[in-house]
Amino acid sequence: MHKKLFIPGPVDVPDDVLKRMATPMIGHRTKDASDLQRDISKKLMQVMYTKNQIMLSTSSGSGLMEGAVRSCTRKRAAVFSIGAFGDRWYKMAISNGVAADKFSSEWGQPTTPQMVDEALSSGQYDLITITHNETSTGIMNPIESISDVIRKYPEVIFCLDTVSSMGGTKIEVDKLGVDICITSTQKCLGLPPGMAICSISQKSIEAAKQVPHRGLYFDLLEMYECIQKKDHQYPSTPSLSHMFALDYQLDKILEEGLGNRFTRHLEMANYVRAWAKEKFDLFADENYASHTLTTIKNTRDILVSDLNKKLGEHGYTISNGYGNLKEKTFRIAHMAETRLDDIKILLSLIDKLLGL
Ligand SMILES: *Cc1c(COP(=O)(O)O)cnc(C)c1O
């Protein structure tokens, strides 16, 4: 039996979208391949509110995160971490020999504009990474006030991880001044895992030209130049299957209407938060609670694995806490094509199973 997924990726993918993955192959150096990528770009530019070049990478989101920090850091990167995925970005820098410092917030708290200002004012950094939506803690950073600070430092390349939020909430890339905005297919965009997406500014391209060792597969400059020279094609063979499905799913997202989609996500978030506060507690500072997933503090000391096993018998699955938070929290994702009615059914089932 298929279990309905309420985990923060991969998400359930509707059958019509899944079927597009089975589209017969085309050559990746054909005009059809160029047209496909160009169409996808145009649609993603709407979802991401940007005029920057869109690039696809056949990898999960982590590939482009590693590529960004490696390709565009000339001096030193300031990596802001509010949880597991921020920590991972720091590890990516260090393991690639990129000079970097990590600025951590207490888990459950956001990155503050003051922290960013203090770090960048030292003049040591020419690249900054921010997690928009931290999937371990359920925090959505105050990205507008953070970007207001980053704007004061025009030499700094602004990289933003929107892996678990793009397509689920409004992120205006150009208005925020994001240079490299990264996401992947298996979260709010509602597709199978396996493709990463970014927008990239001209400023980032100029920065990459000054970096001698950018790696190869995730060299953002090489990808960019290939797209320019070969009319939207890639240095290596991309997952055309994902591209067929992505092109189709983006039509569906735009048909729903971005505003409607964002409202739907927020309504689900509000519902789960209210439930969590009544029955357990929120892990995240509520002022910064995520619109796409909720991390719930396990105040009743339930066995999350036990609950999940019982939920599984009814055809549902939620997520345990991430890393150190494994038993201390559990997570309910409300992203992609999930509807408020699905959430209501899930939560009343949890109430019943736990006798709440
Ligand atoms: C899932 C996730 C990632 C990692 O993305 P992959 O596509 O699994 O590589 C990075 N950052 C955040 C915030 C995520 O939720």
Side-chain angles (χ1 to χ4, degrees):
M1 178 179 61
H2 172 71
K3 286 182 201 156
K4 211 168 163 47
L5 300 175
F6 292 88
I7 62 175
V11 296
D12 278 314
V13 182
D15 281 342
D16 56 334
V17 180
L18 276 179
K19 282 202 185 93
R20 295 289 163 140
M21 294 285 289
T23 306
M25 282 303 118
I26 56 176
H28 69 297
R29 298 287 176 227
T30 57
K31 180 173 176 300
D32 285 348
S34 294
D35 290 345
L36 180 59
Q37 152 69 11
R38 213 177 310 103
D39 286 348
I40 291 170
S41 285
K42 277 186 203 143
K43 293 167 198 172
L44 281 170
M45 285 163 79
Q46 292 181 58
V47 174
M48 300 173 78
Y49 297 86
T50 185
K51 293 193 165 60
N52 285 341
Q53 179 65 55
I54 301 291
M55 307 205 296
L56 306 178
S57 161
T58 298
S59 64
S60 72
S62 304
L64 286 178
M65 290 170 71
E66 185 161 344
V69 76
R70 176 162 182 171
S71 301
C72 297
T73 308
R74 291 141 294 163
K75 287 191 303 194
R76 200 171 185 88
V79 176
F80 282 78
S81 174
I82 57 170
F85 290 102
D87 285 357
R88 245 170 96 75
W89 219 343
Y90 176 69
K91 272 193 203 150
M92 288 169 181
I94 297 306
S95 56
N96 277 288
V98 172
D101 293 307
K102 186 167 78 170
F103 300 88
S104 301
S105 301
E106 191 191 327
W107 282 38
Q109 293 296 324
T111 297
T112 65
Q114 292 77 10
M115 288 168 71
V116 171
D117 207 9
E118 205 180 302
L120 296 188
S121 66
S122 72
Q124 284 189 74
Y125 305 104
D126 56 11
L127 183 139
I128 183 171
T129 76
I130 299 283
T131 309
H132 177 248
N133 188 68
E134 176 55 64
T135 316
S136 56
T137 61
I139 284 276
M140 196 170 260
N141 258 326
I143 197 60
E144 286 179 16
S145 49
I146 291 173
S147 69
D148 283 344
V149 170
I150 297 176
R151 220 186 308 278
K152 294 198 309 185
Y153 303 93
E155 71 285 4
V156 175
I157 302 291
F158 177 11
C159 303
L160 188 65
D161 169 357
T162 65
V163 171
S164 61
S165 48
M166 185 59 76
T169 191
K170 192 175 195 176
I171 305 164
E172 294 179 276
V173 167
D174 288 355
K175 206 167 139 194
L176 295 169
V178 181
D179 289 299
I180 306 178
C181 185
I182 299 163
T183 191
S184 56
T185 46
Q186 78 280 16
K187 296 187 185 175
C188 299
L189 293 173
L191 291 149
M195 190 157 257
I197 297 162
C198 75
S199 66
I200 187 158
S201 67
Q202 201 54 47
K203 193 170 110 187
S204 321
I205 296 303
E206 295 312 316
K209 286 178 183 166
Q210 298 163 37
V211 176
H213 299 294
R214 299 181 302 273
L216 190 73
Y217 191 69
F218 295 115
D219 176 0
L220 301 194
L221 179 59
E222 194 190 20
M223 272 184 220
Y224 179 84
E225 288 181 338
C226 187
I227 289 172
Q228 303 298 316
K229 279 183 210 143
K230 294 191 183 166
D231 189 17
H232 289 81
Q233 294 181 8
Y234 289 91
S236 50
T237 322
S239 174
L240 293 156
S241 307
H242 279 90
M243 289 166 69
F244 291 127
L246 177 58
D247 190 41
Y248 176 79
Q249 170 68 353
L250 286 167
D251 282 337
K252 289 184 65 178
I253 288 173
L254 294 171
E255 226 165 78
E256 177 181 13
L258 291 172
N260 294 335
R261 193 172 176 88
F262 302 151
T263 304
R264 177 166 61 78
H265 278 78
L266 186 56
E267 281 170 0
M268 293 191 289
N270 284 333
Y271 194 90
V272 177
R273 265 179 236 163
W275 174 85
K277 284 197 291 181
E278 191 193 331
K279 308 285 165 86
F280 290 89
D281 205 355
L282 292 175
F283 179 76
D285 180 335
E286 195 179 355
N287 296 316
Y288 306 100
S290 165
H291 296 188
T292 63
L293 87 150
T294 301
T295 301
I296 297 147
K297 206 188 263 180
N298 184 7
T299 51
R300 294 173 183 267
D301 275 330
I302 60 160
L303 277 172
V304 178
S305 51
D306 227 41
L307 171 62
N308 233 346
K309 205 170 137 216
K310 286 186 197 141
L311 283 171
E313 287 161 12
H314 291 81
Y316 292 87
T317 186
I318 59 170
S319 191
N320 52 251
Y322 196 102
N324 297 338
L325 299 176
K326 197 172 169 99
E327 287 301 325
K328 291 185 203 138
T329 65
F330 59 96
R331 296 175 297 161
I332 296 175
H334 26 82
M335 50 175 69
E337 306 318 310
T338 304
R339 307 276 141 174
L340 184 56
D341 282 344
D342 304 321
I343 292 288
K344 287 182 179 171
I345 294 169
L346 172 76
L347 297 184
S348 60
L349 179 60
I350 295 179
D351 284 346
K352 205 172 102 195
L353 292 173
L354 296 177
L356 301 178

